[in-house]
Amino acid sequence: MAGESRIGVTGLAVMGANLARNIARHGIPVAVHNRSPAKTEELVREFGHEGPMTGTTTVEEFVAALERPRRLVMMVKAGPPVDAVAEELAAHLEPGDILIDGGNSHFQDTRRRVEHYRERDLRFIGTGISGGEEGALNGPSIMPGGEREAYAEIADIFETIAAHVDGLPCCTYVGPDGAGHYVKMVHNGIEYADIQLIVEAYDLLRHGVGLEVPDIAQIFGEWNTGDLDSFLIEITAKVLGKTDAETGKPLVDVIVDQAEQKGTGRWTAQDALELGVPLTAITEAVFARSLSALLEERAAAAQTLAGPAPEGGAREDRSLVDDVQRALYASKVVAYAQGFAQMSAASGQYDWSLDLGAMARIWRGGCIIRARFLGRITDAYEEDPNLTNLLMVPYFRDAVAEAQDAWRRVVSHAVARGIAVPAFTSALAYYDGYRRERGPASLIQGLRDYFGAHTYRRVDKPGSFHTRWAQDGTEAQTDA
Ligand code: NBP
């Protein structure tokens, strides 16, 4: 027998509980369930008054509480728990019911699950949900992938509970099978790059310019009123502006400088390697976190390895502040250009037909990388859906052209002063490599042909060629 709740949420940790509250607050009847029932009881006791919420204890009760086709959102830890929960639910479902994985699953797992449940006449939606607990409660950015017909059954609920910007929901159908989780993965990768660029700008302002933390907080606040206007710049001003009550120091000075990561940035970089997409900014951001994690090794190296010490350098050389702002913006444009190029390559590889302008649109609200800047990306793809690289769009092209002198000064200054800025530097190297019609890779091909007879192509005639390096040094065409 079917119940009356329009949707169910199982997995009531931070994300699931807040998502269920968001649904109920919109007047949409929601059934809630968790492996350990205490979480369900607590949620219903504390927040059940906010809207129509039905607590259930067993999987049977949970499934029975839902109208048909049943819509079941799983908000459990990514990996084996998703398979365990999906299998447990599937045993009680009927053809046409819809399993929805709202966690940060790997897109290849989602592709496998979509196929597996299709064979069992069930529908599987893998959806990215961004914005952390605050987003889940007040309106996240939602990136659903799977069968379009299945999405149609949940669209009204998802588009109601999502964040809205300019009257539009930050939720749209992304594409088949793993497309939603892929786009969420790249979103997280871009978040890594954005954060790394901000951190490098902070380091430069502090040790390259010589400013104190409260002054830097104020500068980020000012930057947030211009082109850099974004959630991450806004909260950087807040974090830097926070004083530790115990010591009276800036809080950032008493936090251990060892960054953690859960894996979505690494997955993005790994898939870029698989696809052969140059994704330098995100990848450097992942490596920078890995380097930061080597706390003890760094402490030993600081006593041993030669080089300028960033601390105690220039004092109050404010001429660099505007340069750092420009370098940050130019590097950010590159990071996004790379992330969107990766999604474009994945769209072709996996046959997803991603609408990249729509992806930028649904990231304008509810998620961690929400920013004014994203509107420009949507405009660019609306104007040219086949755009190959955002750097070629007049707005971004001109912004980077205007910033590039400052960008080069900042990178030179950082290198001379021993301040590591891997994302700024690699973004600039990508820019210079991308705008170079003829680079040095011909030598790579020559070397490969020398040691491995891998052949090369010539600029002046078609075909593959091999030089008999060790014999008589003559050239032979190999595909004639
Ligand atoms: P967690 O990722 O910490 O997962 C905890 C939930 O998973 C609990 O409800 C737990 O039940 C349940 N669970 C586990 Br673990 N193993 C289970 C199993 N074998 N069977 C049934 N239930 C199981 O929760 P979260 O931080 O709310 O995140 C949920 C998803 O959303 C994750 O994929 C996460 O990556 C993603 N996400 C999180 C954030 C964030 O800011 N936290 C943001 C965006 C996306 P129990 O209570 O009985 O132990």
Side-chain angles (χ1 to χ4, degrees):
M1 205 186 70
E4 288 177 357
S5 294
R6 290 208 59 214
I7 190 164
V9 178
T10 182
L12 301 176
V14 182
M15 290 297 285
N18 282 301
L19 198 73
R21 288 177 61 196
N22 181 353
I23 296 168
R25 282 174 171 195
H26 280 94
I28 301 166
V30 58
V32 290
H33 171 267
N34 194 67
R35 175 178 61 179
S36 34
K39 278 203 182 86
T40 316
E41 286 157 21
E42 189 187 329
L43 178 67
V44 175
R45 189 172 59 246
E46 286 192 27
F47 302 107
H49 63 277
E50 292 184 334
M53 187 186 286
T54 304
T56 62
T57 308
T58 64
V59 168
E60 291 83 347
E61 271 179 51
F62 178 54
V63 169
L66 301 172
E67 68 172 29
R68 296 211 54 212
R70 300 183 181 90
R71 305 169 184 86
L72 309 101
V73 183
M74 298 174 285
M75 292 302 296
V76 300
K77 211 178 213 34
V82 176
D83 286 313
V85 174
E87 279 302 291
E88 199 180 359
L89 293 171
H92 302 277
L93 299 181
E94 294 172 85
D97 288 346
I98 305 165
L99 284 164
I100 304 157
D101 173 14
N104 278 338
S105 292
H106 194 283
F107 76 100
Q108 294 287 20
D109 284 336
T110 306
R111 300 183 85 202
R112 168 178 60 77
R113 289 170 186 142
V114 166
E115 197 48 43
H116 173 75
Y117 288 106
R118 183 182 295 131
E119 285 165 12
R120 295 172 64 174
D121 288 332
L122 295 172
R123 296 178 287 177
F124 194 96
I125 294 273
T127 185
I129 299 182
S130 173
E133 61 177 310
E134 200 268 338
L137 182 62
N138 297 317
S141 173
I142 309 182
M143 296 151 249
E147 282 175 32
R148 193 183 278 276
E149 296 71 29
Y151 176 68
E153 302 274 10
I154 57 167
D156 67 320
I157 301 177
F158 273 26
E159 291 177 18
T160 299
I161 64 165
H164 284 72
V165 175
D166 299 336
L168 294 172
C170 293
C171 172
T172 191
Y173 174 69
V174 173
D177 57 75
H181 276 140
Y182 193 91
V183 166
K184 172 62 164 41
M185 174 187 83
V186 176
H187 162 283
N188 284 23
I190 290 176
E191 178 187 312
Y192 273 58
D194 253 344
I195 291 174
Q196 179 63 25
L197 291 169
I198 286 172
V199 166
E200 291 177 15
Y202 152 74
D203 204 15
L204 283 160
L205 293 178
R206 186 148 190 199
H207 300 299
V209 181
L211 298 176
E212 300 296 332
V213 176
D215 296 331
I216 303 173
Q218 200 181 338
I219 288 171
F220 273 97
E222 285 160 16
W223 288 356
N224 197 40
T225 60
D227 280 339
L228 286 166
D229 176 357
S230 61
F231 173 67
L232 282 169
I233 295 281
E234 178 193 330
I235 66 170
T236 300
K238 290 182 179 159
V239 171
L240 291 175
K242 179 89 179 157
T243 302
D244 174 46
E246 238 173 82
T247 60
K249 294 180 183 171
L251 183 64
V252 75
D253 280 352
V254 295
I255 297 177
V256 175
D257 64 329
Q258 194 172 33
E260 294 177 13
Q261 49 186 318
K262 282 191 177 167
T264 40
R266 185 173 65 238
W267 291 349
T268 313
Q270 282 170 336
D271 198 60
L273 290 171
E274 287 296 327
L275 295 171
V277 174
L279 189 84
T280 61
I282 293 173
T283 308
E284 286 293 354
V286 175
F287 286 148
R289 289 195 192 190
S290 305
L291 186 65
S292 83
L294 306 176
L295 205 56
E296 286 176 17
E297 283 182 51
R298 287 195 289 119
Q303 307 303 318
T304 310
L305 301 185
E311 292 84 4
R315 283 282 157 254
E316 295 284 334
D317 174 10
R318 285 187 173 255
S319 65
L320 263 183
V321 174
D322 287 346
D323 281 359
V324 173
Q325 180 184 11
R326 289 199 178 89
L328 175 56
Y329 191 63
S331 304
K332 181 177 164 114
V333 170
V334 167
Y336 280 69
Q338 293 178 342
F340 276 77
Q342 173 164 352
M343 288 192 287
S344 173
S347 181
Q349 174 76 18
Y350 304 113
D351 210 8
W352 284 336
S353 303
L354 294 181
D355 175 349
L356 297 180
M359 298 308 103
R361 191 175 62 242
I362 64 172
W363 291 348
R364 288 185 309 158
C367 67
I368 307 298
I369 64 170
R370 58 186 182 262
R372 182 199 287 196
F373 172 83
L374 289 161
R376 303 272 187 190
I377 297 183
T378 303
D379 294 347
Y381 281 105
E382 276 173 5
E383 199 150 299
D384 178 7
N386 299 316
L387 183 64
T388 49
N389 193 307
L390 280 170
L391 285 167
M392 301 299 279
V393 174
Y395 170 77
F396 294 115
R397 179 196 66 200
D398 296 346
V400 174
E402 196 268 326
Q404 62 150 332
D405 288 343
W407 198 7
R408 293 179 198 286
R409 278 194 297 273
V410 165
V411 168
S412 305
H413 183 78
V415 171
R417 294 289 319 284
I419 301 171
V421 287
F424 273 46
T425 313
S426 68
L428 181 55
Y430 171 88
Y431 178 71
D432 283 336
Y434 190 69
R435 68 187 182 82
R436 186 133 176 229
E437 189 174 352
R438 182 161 171 81
S442 53
L443 178 56
I444 299 176
Q445 288 300 85
L447 294 169
R448 293 179 71 246
D449 189 59
Y450 190 113
F451 63 69
H454 293 301
T455 75
Y456 52 84
R457 287 177 294 121
R458 294 180 56 102
V459 295
D460 52 1
K461 52 186 172 186
S464 293
F465 298 87
H466 167 58
T467 294
R468 299 187 186 97
W469 302 95
Q471 292 96 37
D472 55 6
T474 57
E475 184 179 69
Q477 185 157 0
T478 60
D479 62 350

